[in-house]
Amino acid sequence: LLLAIGAFQIHLVHAWSAAGLLIAGALFAWTAWKFRQTSDRKHARRLFLGSLLYLPAVLAIALAGKA
């Protein structure tokens, strides 16, 4: 989450891509929080899938919104 704000502040990405990065980070943090609360197999799989989707999504958003 701080990465998105910092990238916007030093003009690495545009505002719309910083918003996308914040949303992606918040969704990933939410899945991690749910797994921390329950620690069951269902939430572990969701966190794993989220981690597989998070990094390519962040890379695509950052590259598309490069300033």
Side-chain angles (χ1 to χ4, degrees):
L1 298 172
L2 293 176
L3 176 68
I5 296 168
F8 177 68
Q9 286 182 340
I10 61 173
H11 305 290
L12 289 177
V13 294
H14 293 286
W16 68 267
S17 59
L21 293 171
L22 280 172
I23 291 169
L27 288 173
F28 186 64
W30 182 75
T31 57
W33 181 256
K34 284 298 210 179
F35 173 67
R36 186 186 184 286
Q37 286 180 332
T38 59
S39 296
D40 62 354
R41 189 171 276 222
K42 174 182 151 184
H43 287 97
R45 286 185 179 152
R46 285 186 182 172
L47 181 59
F48 177 68
L49 179 62
S51 69
L52 291 178
L53 297 175
Y54 173 75
L55 287 176
V58 167
L59 181 63
I61 291 169
L63 287 176
K66 191 174 178 182

